[in-house]
Amino acid sequence: MNLSRIALATGVAASTVLLLAGPAAAHVSVQPQGEAAKGGYATLNFKVPNERDQASTVKLEVNFPAEHPLSSVTPEAVPGWKIEITKGKLDKPLEVHGRKITEAVTNVTWTADGSKIEPGYFQQFPVSVGQLPEDADQMIFKAIQTYDNKEVVRWIEEPKAGGEEPDSPAPVLALSAASDDHHGGGAAGDTEAGDDHAATDKAASAEGDKKETHAASSSSSDTTARTLGIIGIVVGIAGVAFGVLAGRRRSA
């Protein structure tokens, strides 16, 4: 009897844990590829799980924080999804790399165009962003998820320090300490661009060396040809002279 009660209590407790843990884990979230360093650049992944058994996600709208405008927001193309970028005027222009930025992206919307997030699946939407703020520890991106049955879920509740997680928490990006190069762990684009330039320079250098080698080879070939030609002429003259002398001796 006691064993039965213990088993029943354990089962109820386990079920309660699952019920509580499930909804809390399945919400729209944001994570950087690598790290998101203050003042740097990063590639962010907005992860969208499908929470419904009878409907599919067909739209995601992510709003960018107005208090921390970003000068650069570039979404990666996602097959089967159409992307719309909305920009707005800034009250205070940003100074980035010696130039003024007067507008910034306010939101990015992905709409299903031949694809969708079906029950039991999730989809990631990558975005390259920068420069991240230097005076903040986190950024909050409020998101709106739409299903094909017209249901709309608003992930817009801001978490409070030391408080419980809201029912519909907004995606929160934690910022790490500023790095020396201000490119962060997700600045793949900058690294790749640098690698591309290095590769181009290396290729150009190799091409130059190849041309110099070819020129040197051609010059060497020309010199050899000239030398052989001169030797041939000398031999020919010597042969003619030898023939003339031999003829004179026979005549004598």
Side-chain angles (χ1 to χ4, degrees), residues 17-240:
V17 170
L18 290 174
L19 288 172
L20 292 176
H27 56 75
V28 175
S29 61
V30 58
Q31 290 293 333
Q33 292 182 12
E35 66 175 5
K38 297 178 181 180
Y41 293 79
T43 296
L44 310 181
N45 284 326
F46 289 94
K47 182 178 179 181
V48 184
N50 193 90
E51 294 186 305
R52 302 296 180 261
D53 295 329
Q54 305 297 327
S56 298
T57 298
V58 293
K59 185 178 180 180
L60 172 70
E61 178 182 338
V62 174
N63 295 282
F64 286 71
E67 64 273 19
H68 298 299
L70 299 172
S71 61
S72 175
V73 176
T74 307
E76 180 179 330
V78 180
W81 293 82
K82 181 175 63 176
I83 302 174
E84 181 181 356
I85 302 173
T86 303
K87 295 183 178 182
K89 292 289 184 181
L90 295 174
D91 295 333
K92 182 180 179 181
L94 297 174
E95 187 80 20
V96 181
H97 300 307
R99 61 190 182 96
K100 286 188 176 181
I101 305 297
T102 59
E103 63 177 13
V105 171
T106 56
N107 61 68
V108 177
T109 302
W110 291 264
T111 304
D113 185 22
S115 183
K116 56 187 175 181
I117 308 174
E118 299 179 346
Y121 290 86
F122 74 91
Q123 175 70 53
Q124 292 196 111
F125 298 92
V127 182
S128 176
V129 301
Q131 284 181 310
L132 298 171
E134 297 181 348
D135 58 350
D137 295 323
Q138 64 179 26
M139 296 181 70
I140 298 176
F141 299 86
K142 297 183 179 181
I144 300 175
Q145 181 179 11
T146 303
Y147 290 87
D148 56 9
N149 63 356
K150 308 303 181 183
E151 180 185 1
V152 176
V153 181
R154 301 178 184 277
W155 305 100
I156 61 175
E157 297 182 55
E158 299 186 16
K160 296 180 180 180
E164 295 182 357
E165 185 178 66
D167 293 334
S168 300
V172 178
L173 173 68
L175 301 179
S176 59
S179 58
D180 293 335
D181 60 2
H182 270 206
H183 289 302
D190 297 326
T191 303
E192 290 172 1
D195 291 343
D196 289 341
H197 286 306
T200 301
D201 293 341
K202 186 176 180 180
S205 177
E207 184 65 23
D209 293 342
K210 188 184 297 182
K211 288 181 180 178
E212 290 178 2
T213 302
H214 179 70
S217 177
S218 298
S219 177
S220 177
S221 298
D222 292 342
T223 301
T224 302
R226 290 194 189 99
T227 302
L228 291 175
I230 292 171
I231 293 174
I233 292 172
V234 172
V235 172
I237 293 173
V240 171

